[in-house]
């Protein structure tokens, strides 16, 4: 009886001391929490340093996506570059897991530290390509897929990419 | 003013008592009984016995009736109980107690009419403070108080004994012996 | 006071008590927030005071539903009982030397009988809801209230002996030289615990016990009727605080400041203490509650009674 009484008085004293401790709460809309640059939030599509879009519509992001929220259609430009005819992300499904970013060979799809996506209409959560595309290069400033890839496009033939040797003409052995 | 209060409280008490007798749902009957007790407490208060009024609420309405409701809740009577109660409300079953109660009521009326002067003196409307109640309880009525407390003690011991025997018997079954 | 004055004061008292109860709901949440290292409601109005108004609007505009399987009359009647009983209990509280509705010579007994009537609200709600959780809550509350009432009354008899009256005015006047919390600290201790149990507040909120009985006796209640229960509970809290101040901490007595202010300050501190109890102490099990009541509190109250009687008699013999 006495022991439990003192223990309870002790508890009350401890709680009373908490009058002078600071609240742990972050007053969110006024006081923004710190988000790391690599925080996984809203998804964007980035441009390469030359200002052209990075996405080559390889569909790897759509395959990697565990909730199947990415839909896109591949198209080929006159110069041989691939591009997405449309690129659609349903953010009401997206779980911000970052698998698409991992899968992307061209660093086109990237996650940003922005999480404030609230809409009254569910349809407004479906972002089209023009909503996703940004002007900048995102996290990777110097990377340009077509400059390192072996694919021949207009203005760059095979073997002209960075760190790439000329293609071996297999027929010259026969001469 | 006081007369109005008195008669309205009396009417409420009478009506609530009649309803308490005739309800077939036990819980409803108990609620009417509580209302009747509260009305009687008001009557006590108006007749200058505030101590009795407070005790009426505290002991009867506040404690004993709670236990009654408690028991009703435990029993969970429901429809079957109501049907049974309705059966008991037939003329055959209440006519004899009714006649007896009427006889008692007539006796009470006669007694009151004979000693009406004394009755008026008793309910003069002067409030009796709790000190006076205590003085009379432990003065001229001390024997009654002591007897009542002995009775309560016996009840207490009896209740304890009943509860205790139950436990011992269950242990005894385990050991194969009898206490 | 004149009859009209008393009536006006009674009306003001009802408004103040109900408003105070509403304010205490907000204050409790803020204070609990502070003690749990968070803020509590702080959005609406200065310090979040208007949260009370928002809650009230929400509760009053909710669908006033009566379950079809319930005992309808009793179901509707139950929540009113606790509010009426608690408000009646306020009539005997002396807020100042001449600030009271009525000075009964059985004031203390009147208060006890009103708190004992408040149990019906919980009990009948549990019975009328026709719901397992509500029934269990009602059963618990019946046993809890009846047992804690016993030594709630007994713990106050020491105060009555020392002051020689049941009238709360006389009791306050008797504390001019010394507050009864010093000679009657055992009585205070027992009354405090019984008071928490009587107003079924945490840690003794077994009739509700969210974690075990969903919401106990008011599982089926919503909207206005639920608001009545909450109002009754907080009125009970304020009433018990008022009684503790009146009986043990000298009521309105105090230097310099006006009596009413002293009374309010003391009541405020006691309410803070009750909220601290809620913040700090976990709920006991049902059998623990019962054994605490009958095995520790009742002997303690009786011991206090006997010792006080002996000392009071000895003092009388000397003086």
């Amino acid at each position: 009886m006495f022991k439990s009484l003192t223990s309870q008085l002790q508890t009350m004293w401890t709680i009373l001391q908490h009058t002078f401790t600071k609240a742990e709460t972050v007053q969110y809309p006024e006081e923004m929490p710190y988000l790391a640059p690599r925080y996984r939030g809203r998804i964007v599509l980035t441009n390469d340093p030359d200002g052209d879009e990075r996405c080559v519509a390889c569909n790897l992001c759509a395959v990697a996506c565990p909730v199947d929220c990415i839909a896109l259609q591949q198209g080929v430009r006159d110069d041989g570059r691939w591009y997405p005819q449309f690129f659609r992300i349903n953010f009401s499904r997206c779980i911000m897991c970052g698998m698409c970013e991992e899968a992307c060979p061209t660093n086109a799809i990237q996650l940003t530290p922005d999480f404030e996506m609230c809409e009254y209409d569910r349809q407004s959560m479906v972002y089209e390509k023009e909503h996703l595309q940004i002007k900048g290069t995102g996290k990777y400033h110097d990377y340009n897929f077509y400059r390192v890839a072996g694919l021949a496009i207009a203005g760059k033939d095979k073997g002209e990419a960075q760190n790439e040797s000329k293609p071996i003409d297999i027929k010259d052995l026969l001469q | 003013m006081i007369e109005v209060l008195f008669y309205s409280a009396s009417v409420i008490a009478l009506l609530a008592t009649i309803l308490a007798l005739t309800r077939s749902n036990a819980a409803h009957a108990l609620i009417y009984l509580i209302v009747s007790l509260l009305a009687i407490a008001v009557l006590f208060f108006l007749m200058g016995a505030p101590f009795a009024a407070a005790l009426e609420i505290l002991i009867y309405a506040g404690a004993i009736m709670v236990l009654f409701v408690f028991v009703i809740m435990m029993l969970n009577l429901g429809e079957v109980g109501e049907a049974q109660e309705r059966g008991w409300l037939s003329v055959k079953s209440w006519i004899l107690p009714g006649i007896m109660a009427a006889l008692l009521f007539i006796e009470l009326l006669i007694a009151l009419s004979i000693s009406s002067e004394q009755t008026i003196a008793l309910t003069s409307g002067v409030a009796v403070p709790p000190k006076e109640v205590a003085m009379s309880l432990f003065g001229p009525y001390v024997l009654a108080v002591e007897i009542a407390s002995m009775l309560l003690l016996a009840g207490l011991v009896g209740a304890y004994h009943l509860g205790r025997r139950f436990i011992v018997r269950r242990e005894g079954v385990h050991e194969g012996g009898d206490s | 006071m004149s009859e009209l004055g008393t009536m006006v004061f009674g009306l003001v008292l009802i408004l103040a008590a109900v408003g105070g109860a509403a304010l205490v709901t907000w204050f409790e949440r803020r204070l609990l927030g502070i003690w749990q290292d968070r803020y509590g409601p702080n959005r609406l109005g200065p310090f979040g005071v208007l949260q009370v108004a928002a809650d009230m609007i929400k509760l009053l505009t909710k669908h006033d539903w009566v379950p079809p399987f319930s005992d309808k009359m009793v179901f509707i009647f139950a929540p009113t009982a606790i509010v009426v009983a608690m408000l009646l209990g306020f009539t005997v509280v002396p807020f100042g030397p001449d600030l009271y509705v009525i000075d009964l010579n059985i004031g203390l007994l009147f208060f006890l009988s009103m708190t004992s009537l408040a149990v019906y609200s919980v009990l009948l709600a549990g019975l009328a809801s026709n719901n397992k959780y509500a029934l269990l809550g009602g059963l618990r509350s019946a046993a809890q209230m009846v047992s804690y009432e016993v030594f709630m009354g007994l713990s106050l008899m020491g105060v009555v002996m020392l002051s020689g009256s049941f009238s709360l005015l006389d009791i306050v006047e008797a504390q001019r030289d010394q507050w009864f919390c010093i000679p009657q600290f055992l009585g205070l201790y027992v009354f405090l615990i019984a008071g928490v149990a009587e107003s079924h507040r945490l840690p003794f909120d077994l009739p509700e016990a969210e974690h075990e009985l969903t919401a106990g006796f008011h599982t089926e209640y919503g909207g206005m009727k639920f608001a009545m229960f909450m109002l009754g509970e907080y009125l009970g809290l304020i009433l018990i605080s008022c009684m503790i101040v009146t009986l043990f901490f000298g009521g309105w007595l105090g230097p310099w400041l006006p009596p009413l202010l002293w009374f309010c300050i003391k009541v405020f501190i006691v309410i803070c203490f009750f909220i601290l109890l809620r913040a700090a102490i976990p709920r006991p099990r049902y059998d623990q509650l019962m054994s605490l009541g009958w095995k520790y509190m009742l002997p303690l109250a009786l011991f206090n009674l006997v010792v006080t009687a002996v000392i009071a008699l000895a003092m009388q013999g000397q003086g």
Side-chain angles (χ1 to χ4, degrees):
Chain A
M1 173 75 179
F2 186 71
K3 202 176 153 193
S4 60
L5 185 68
T6 48
S7 130
Q8 280 176 350
L9 285 177
Q10 213 170 10
T11 316
M12 277 157 67
W13 175 240
T14 314
I15 298 285
L16 201 60
Q17 280 171 328
H18 275 257
T19 316
F20 306 105
T21 45
K22 210 174 152 293
E24 300 282 350
T25 319
V26 178
Q27 298 275 33
Y28 160 58
E30 290 95 40
E31 204 181 309
M32 296 302 285
Y34 168 72
L35 295 180
R38 283 174 183 272
Y39 185 89
R40 298 200 304 263
R42 182 168 56 86
I43 296 171
V44 294
L45 290 173
T46 55
N47 283 348
D48 59 26
D50 300 340
D52 214 346
E53 62 184 302
R54 267 180 178 152
C55 181
V56 295
C58 63
N59 266 313
L60 280 177
C61 50
V63 170
C65 183
V67 291
D68 286 348
C69 69
I70 304 177
L72 69 156
Q73 171 75 51
Q74 186 216 61
V76 184
R77 271 194 238 157
D78 295 340
D79 60 358
R81 283 178 74 135
W82 289 7
Y83 77 102
Q85 279 175 336
F86 67 83
F87 198 107
R88 190 176 294 146
I89 297 182
N90 185 352
F91 277 113
S92 55
R93 272 193 170 194
C94 180
I95 56 172
M96 315 293 176
C97 63
M99 300 280 245
C100 46
E101 189 176 14
E102 306 251 341
C104 187
T106 68
N107 286 336
I109 196 163
Q110 290 182 12
L111 274 72
T112 58
D114 171 28
F115 59 91
E116 292 171 316
M117 289 186 292
C118 306
E119 301 288 347
Y120 285 106
D121 182 11
R122 207 172 282 179
Q123 207 55 41
S124 334
M125 290 296 278
V126 179
Y127 280 40
E128 293 293 340
K129 190 178 163 187
E130 63 261 33
H131 309 126
L132 295 166
Q133 191 74 45
I134 62 164
K135 286 267 166 9
T137 53
K139 289 175 233 176
Y140 309 98
H141 300 296
D142 306 321
Y143 183 75
N144 187 333
F145 173 70
Y146 282 104
R147 232 183 263 157
V148 293
L151 190 71
I153 53 165
K156 192 203 83 169
D157 206 356
K158 277 201 185 279
E160 286 174 15
Q162 288 168 12
N163 301 327
E164 191 188 16
S165 45
K166 284 279 172 199
I168 297 166
D169 187 1
I170 48 168
K171 288 175 185 160
D172 66 348
L173 283 174
L174 295 174
Q175 281 176 344
Chain B
M1 186 64 188
I2 300 239
E3 278 81 23
V4 173
L5 281 176
F6 180 86
Y7 284 112
S8 52
S10 325
V11 168
I12 290 171
L14 282 174
L15 277 182
T17 313
I18 290 167
L19 283 168
L21 284 172
T22 53
R23 287 309 90 179
S24 52
N25 186 328
H28 289 185
L30 272 182
I31 292 167
Y32 283 118
L33 191 53
I34 293 159
V35 172
S36 151
L37 285 172
L38 291 181
I40 290 168
V42 173
L43 291 184
F44 274 134
F45 197 86
L46 290 174
M47 290 197 295
F51 193 75
L55 286 191
E56 175 98 10
I57 302 179
L58 194 62
I59 308 287
Y60 283 96
I64 293 176
M65 283 298 127
V66 170
L67 291 181
F68 275 41
V69 177
F70 187 87
V71 170
I72 295 281
M73 282 166 94
M74 293 284 261
L75 292 179
N76 192 18
L77 293 167
E79 291 296 320
V80 184
E82 272 188 46
Q84 198 180 16
E85 285 280 336
R86 235 173 265 130
W88 284 341
L89 270 181
S90 63
V91 179
K92 210 166 39 179
S93 47
W94 65 254
I95 190 82
L96 206 61
I99 291 170
M100 286 196 232
L103 283 177
L104 273 179
F105 184 64
I106 292 164
E107 261 181 54
L108 186 70
L109 280 184
I110 293 166
L112 280 179
S113 64
I114 290 168
S115 62
S116 58
E117 280 138 50
Q118 280 177 334
T119 334
I120 288 163
L122 278 175
T123 58
S124 55
V126 178
V128 182
K131 202 169 215 166
E132 234 167 86
V133 176
M135 286 300 192
S136 57
L137 272 184
F138 285 92
Y141 298 109
V142 68
L143 190 64
V145 171
E146 287 305 320
I147 289 171
S149 57
M150 288 291 278
L151 202 63
L152 284 175
L153 186 66
L156 195 69
V157 172
Y160 183 69
H161 180 66
L162 284 176
R164 186 161 175 77
R165 215 178 75 180
F166 179 59
I167 297 165
V168 170
R169 193 191 286 156
R170 269 168 72 179
E171 284 171 357
V173 168
H174 257 282
E175 292 156 9
D178 205 354
S179 52
Chain C
M1 268 194 285
S2 66
E3 210 153 284
L4 187 73
T6 309
M7 275 168 104
V8 171
F9 179 70
L11 215 62
V12 171
L13 179 62
I14 288 176
L15 288 178
V18 172
L23 217 60
V24 169
T25 60
W26 164 79
F27 180 69
E28 173 168 40
R29 285 158 75 186
R30 279 312 297 262
L31 214 55
L32 283 179
I34 287 171
W35 284 326
Q36 292 165 359
D37 290 354
R38 56 193 176 84
Y39 288 108
N42 62 349
R43 292 275 142 187
L44 226 55
F47 301 106
V49 168
L50 291 182
Q51 187 69 42
V52 174
D55 286 346
M56 209 130 50
I57 291 168
K58 186 197 115 190
L59 282 173
L60 296 191
T61 51
K62 259 187 163 178
H63 182 194
D64 211 14
W65 188 62
V66 179
F69 47 81
S70 68
D71 192 340
K72 289 187 186 58
M73 283 290 285
V74 183
F75 188 83
I76 293 166
F77 163 75
T80 55
I82 188 166
V83 177
V84 170
M86 287 303 177
L87 280 176
L88 276 174
F90 272 102
T91 52
V92 290
V93 178
F95 295 92
D98 42 29
L99 268 180
Y100 50 85
V101 176
I102 187 168
D103 175 32
L104 287 174
N105 57 10
I106 49 146
L108 198 57
L109 284 177
F110 186 79
F111 155 74
L112 286 174
S113 54
M114 282 308 126
T115 51
S116 74
L117 281 187
V119 62
Y120 280 114
S121 193
V122 178
L123 205 56
L124 295 178
L127 186 65
S129 291
N130 213 352
N131 168 313
K132 287 187 194 104
Y133 296 119
L135 188 73
L136 280 172
L139 282 176
R140 283 183 177 190
S141 102
Q144 175 179 335
M145 298 284 221
V146 169
S147 3
Y148 275 68
E149 235 162 52
V150 172
F151 54 86
M152 187 182 200
L154 279 178
S155 68
L156 294 182
M157 288 311 124
V159 172
V160 174
M161 266 181 220
L162 288 182
S163 63
S165 171
F166 277 112
S167 159
L168 293 173
L169 272 179
D170 294 348
I171 289 174
V172 174
E173 282 299 335
Q175 300 179 62
R176 259 195 200 286
D177 303 324
Q178 187 190 34
W179 290 355
F180 284 153
C181 58
I182 299 158
Q184 281 296 311
F185 64 95
L186 271 180
L188 172 63
Y189 175 64
V190 174
F191 183 70
L192 204 66
I193 288 176
V196 177
E198 278 289 300
S199 56
H200 46 85
R201 277 186 52 81
L202 275 128
F204 293 140
D205 69 332
L206 281 107
E208 293 173 47
E210 292 97 340
H211 317 111
E212 307 152 28
L213 300 180
T214 59
F217 61 91
H218 55 55
T219 306
E220 298 291 347
Y221 282 85
M224 276 274 269
K225 299 195 202 70
F226 176 74
M228 290 287 247
F229 274 123
M230 288 306 277
L231 181 65
E233 189 185 327
Y234 282 93
L235 279 177
L237 168 67
I238 298 177
L239 181 61
I240 296 283
S241 306
C242 286
M243 290 315 286
I244 287 173
V245 167
T246 310
L247 296 169
F248 295 101
F249 293 98
W252 70 78
L253 296 174
W256 308 305
L257 297 171
L260 183 62
L261 197 62
W262 263 117
F263 190 83
C264 290
I265 290 171
K266 288 174 186 172
V267 168
F268 178 78
I269 292 169
V270 175
I271 288 177
C272 287
F273 179 75
F274 272 123
I275 298 172
L276 177 65
L277 275 184
R278 176 179 182 163
I281 298 183
R283 180 190 307 129
R285 222 169 46 220
Y286 182 63
D287 59 319
Q288 287 171 336
L289 179 86
M290 282 296 147
S291 72
L292 174 77
W294 289 108
K295 287 185 190 158
Y296 298 108
M297 291 297 136
L298 185 68
L300 215 58
L302 284 173
F303 174 75
N304 179 44
L305 190 69
V306 170
V307 169
T308 314
V310 167
I311 290 173
L313 271 181
M315 300 259 280
Q316 218 171 32
Q318 279 174 5

